[in-house]
C-alpha cells in the first residue's frame, strides 16, 4: 500500500511481481514513455477507492504515464483482486497524448456512485433513457495533459461480476462499446481523452478506436 506519491524518472521501470499494490489515494507517475516501462509478471495495481464527495465517487488513486509521442500498447496493469486482472491499454498510433492519467473503480448494478460531475447513466439517443441495465458496472477516468489530435485505440477490461444485468450483447445486438462523458450532462461515443474525462466502457477485452479530437 502506498503512503505517498511515487515518481519514476525517464529511465525508470515499474515492475510488478506479486500481490496487490494499493495506490491508496496517491499517484504513481511513470516518466519513461517506453511500452516496457511498466512490467508485470504477476500482481496488479489497485485503483479502487470508495471515498465519496457528496454522493459521487472521488477516485483519486491515479496512474500517470508520460507517453507523449511513443507509439504502441501501453498497459496499465489494474486489478480488482488476485483472480480479477482488469488492465487498461492505450495503444497510440500517432500524435502526442502527453501525460495520460487513468484511474478506475467498480460501481453497483445501478452504476452508482458516479464520478464527480457525472449526473446520469443514459444512452446517447436523442431521447435518452436510463441505460444502467446495459452498462458495465465500472468507470474509467482518463485525462490527457495535451489537447491535440491523436490516433489511438483503447482496451478496457472488467470483471465477470461487473457484466451488465442485460448481458454483453446490448439492446441493439451490436455488442458493447465505450461512451465518454462530455461535461454537458450527456454521453458521447468514442472520443480521445481530454481534461476532466469520465468513461463508461461497454465492452469486454475488445478494442474501440476513437475519433481524433
Amino acid at each position: 500500500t502506498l503512503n505517498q506519491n511515487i515518481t519514476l524518472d525517464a529511465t525508470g521501470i515499474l515492475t510488478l511481481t506479486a500481490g496487490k499494490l494499493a495506490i491508496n489515494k496517491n499517484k504513481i507517475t511513470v516518466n519513461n514513455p517506453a511500452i516496457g516501462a511498466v512490467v508485470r509478471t504477476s500482481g496488479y495495481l489497485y485503483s479502487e477507492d470508495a471515498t465519496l464527495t457528496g454522493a459521487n465517487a472521488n477516485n483519486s488513486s491515479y496512474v500517470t504515464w508520460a507517453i507523449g509521442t511513443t507509439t504502441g500498447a501501453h498497459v496499465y496493469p489494474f486489478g480488482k483482486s488476485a483472480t480479477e486482472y482488469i488492465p487498461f491499454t492505450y495503444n497510440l498510433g500517432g500524435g502526442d497524448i502527453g501525460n495520460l492519467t487513468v484511474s478506475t473503480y467498480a460501481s453497483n448494478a445501478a452504476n452508482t456512485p458516479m464520478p464527480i460531475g457525472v449526473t446520469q447513466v443514459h444512452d446517447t439517443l436523442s431521447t435518452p433513457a436510463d441505460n444502467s441495465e446495459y452498462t458495465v458496472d465500472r468507470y474509467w477516468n482518463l485525462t490527457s495533459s495535451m489537447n491535440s489530435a491523436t490516433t489511438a485505440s483503447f482496451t478496457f477490461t472488467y470483471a465477470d461480476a461487473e457484466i451488465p444485468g442485460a448481458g454483453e450483447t446490448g439492446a441493439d445486438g451490436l455488442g458493447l462499446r465505450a461512451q465518454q462523458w462530455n461535461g454537458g450532462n450527456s454521453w458521447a461515443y468514442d472520443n480521445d481523452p481530454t481534461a476532466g474525462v469520465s468513461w463508461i466502457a461497454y465492452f469486454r477485452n475488445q478494442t474501440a478506436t476513437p475519433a481524433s479530437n
Side-chain angles (χ1 to χ4, degrees):
T1 299
L2 296 183
N3 295 314
Q4 61 183 16
N5 296 332
I6 299 295
T7 300
L8 303 178
D9 64 23
T11 60
I13 296 176
L14 175 64
T15 302
L16 301 177
T17 57
K20 175 175 77 173
L21 178 56
I23 303 173
N24 190 34
K25 304 180 181 64
N26 293 295
K27 181 194 290 188
I28 298 173
T29 301
V30 180
N31 284 309
N32 183 346
I35 60 174
V38 177
V39 177
R40 174 188 179 268
T41 54
S42 186
Y44 57 96
L45 298 178
Y46 187 76
S47 178
E48 315 290 314
D49 185 351
T51 304
L52 296 178
T53 298
N56 294 86
N58 182 14
N59 188 359
S60 56
S61 297
Y62 301 115
V63 178
T64 296
W65 199 338
I67 295 171
T69 60
T70 301
T71 58
H74 293 76
V75 180
Y76 293 67
F78 294 120
K80 186 178 180 182
S81 72
T83 58
E84 296 171 302
Y85 180 53
I86 52 169
F88 166 76
T89 301
Y90 181 78
N91 193 342
L92 181 65
D96 187 352
I97 191 63
N99 298 340
L100 181 60
T101 299
V102 184
S103 65
T104 183
Y105 70 93
S107 69
N108 61 24
N111 296 110
T112 60
M114 301 176 192
I116 292 174
V118 176
T119 58
Q120 42 82 357
V121 183
H122 291 172
D123 57 34
T124 61
L125 301 178
S126 58
T127 55
D130 179 78
N131 209 34
S132 57
E133 182 70 7
Y134 296 94
T135 302
V136 170
D137 299 334
R138 174 164 293 275
Y139 290 94
W140 290 260
N141 296 286
L142 283 70
T143 304
S144 169
S145 63
M146 298 292 286
N147 191 22
S148 58
T150 60
T151 301
S153 63
F154 306 72
T155 301
F156 300 81
T157 314
Y158 55 89
D160 288 342
E162 297 161 2
I163 293 173
E168 297 170 296
T169 303
D172 57 7
L174 298 178
L176 308 178
R177 63 186 300 181
Q179 289 190 174
Q180 178 191 15
W181 183 253
N182 69 7
N185 197 36
S186 63
W187 295 91
Y189 283 132
D190 299 353
N191 293 308
D192 281 335
T194 53
V197 168
S198 295
W199 282 82
I200 294 179
Y202 281 11
F203 52 95
R204 175 186 181 81
N205 291 327
Q206 298 176 3
T207 299
T209 302
S212 296
N213 285 334

